[in-house]
Amino acid sequence: MAIIKPYKGIFPKIHPSVYMSENVVVVGDVEIGEDSSLWFGTVVRGDVNYIRIGKGTNIQDNSVIHVTHDTHPTIIGDYTTVGHRVILHGCKVGNYVLIGMGAVVMDGVEIEDYVLVGAGALLTPNKKFPSGVLVAGFPAKVVRDLKPEEIEYIKQSAQNYIAYKNSYLNESE
């Protein structure tokens, strides 16, 4: 069973349709929208600021979502895929974004809608990334515009994870 804890009297608000693996930890001022999923080993710690995760969003295995005291909450939009072992810290991520495995997104970063972040990318503080681009590198930069099939891939990834979470929920009944 996932660990869901209040912090300073603030309890996480998690939609009943959300799937959370057994060893997920969610703490404090966190809201998670319908049809989202948090996978094995993920930590979502809204202790010194707030975290908002939209609907249909998946946070994959061993990812960490945290905030910066007083200055940077973490906000993740709808139908976004956060790959395995991603760190999101005090940032804003739009709708229909795919963040590749092992990426690090730091304080003050803003990612607009329909963005593909390459695996292992380092998005350094206070950078802004526009809609419809591929972002990659260490440090990350805009590489090129997305192709239509890449935008479809981002959309499909979110739908796949909604199906996966439904399958896991059905297994537990």
Side-chain angles (χ1 to χ4, degrees):
M1 173 179 259
I3 298 170
I4 302 169
K5 295 180 60 151
Y7 181 78
K8 293 190 175 180
I10 300 173
F11 285 82
K13 295 178 181 145
I14 301 167
H15 192 276
S17 64
V18 170
Y19 171 75
M20 291 183 292
S21 298
E22 294 80 3
N23 60 344
V24 164
V25 178
V26 180
V27 178
D29 192 355
V30 175
E31 293 182 13
I32 304 172
E34 66 181 290
D35 282 333
S36 288
S37 56
L38 278 64
W39 296 87
F40 301 93
T42 292
V43 175
V44 180
R45 185 160 54 101
D47 51 3
V48 295
N49 213 322
Y50 64 90
I51 295 171
R52 301 294 180 261
I53 299 171
K55 63 184 176 183
T57 288
N58 62 88
I59 312 297
Q60 296 175 19
D61 311 63
N62 295 314
S63 290
V64 174
I65 301 173
H66 195 227
V67 295
T68 306
H69 188 268
D70 292 334
T71 59
H72 295 98
T74 295
I75 301 167
I76 305 166
D78 299 334
Y79 304 105
T80 286
T81 294
V82 176
H84 308 290
R85 204 181 47 79
V86 166
I87 297 173
L88 300 179
H89 200 279
C91 57
K92 293 180 183 173
V93 178
N95 303 313
Y96 293 102
V97 172
L98 190 150
I99 301 177
M101 295 179 280
V104 176
V105 183
M106 298 176 74
D107 292 356
V109 169
E110 293 183 22
I111 302 170
E112 292 185 0
D113 299 344
Y114 298 102
V115 173
L116 177 57
V117 176
L122 173 64
L123 285 65
T124 54
N126 303 313
K127 298 286 194 279
K128 295 183 181 5
F129 297 95
S131 186
V133 297
L134 169 64
V135 174
F138 198 88
K141 63 181 180 179
V142 173
V143 175
R144 62 172 169 78
D145 290 341
L146 289 180
K147 299 172 185 171
E149 59 268 22
E150 291 168 322
I151 291 171
E152 290 307 312
Y153 175 76
I154 292 170
K155 292 178 183 177
Q156 188 60 52
S157 178
Q159 292 306 312
N160 290 346
Y161 268 85
I162 291 171
Y164 302 155
K165 73 100 184 162
N166 287 338
S167 176
Y168 271 75
L169 285 172
N170 290 336
E171 286 288 321
S172 65
E173 292 176 353

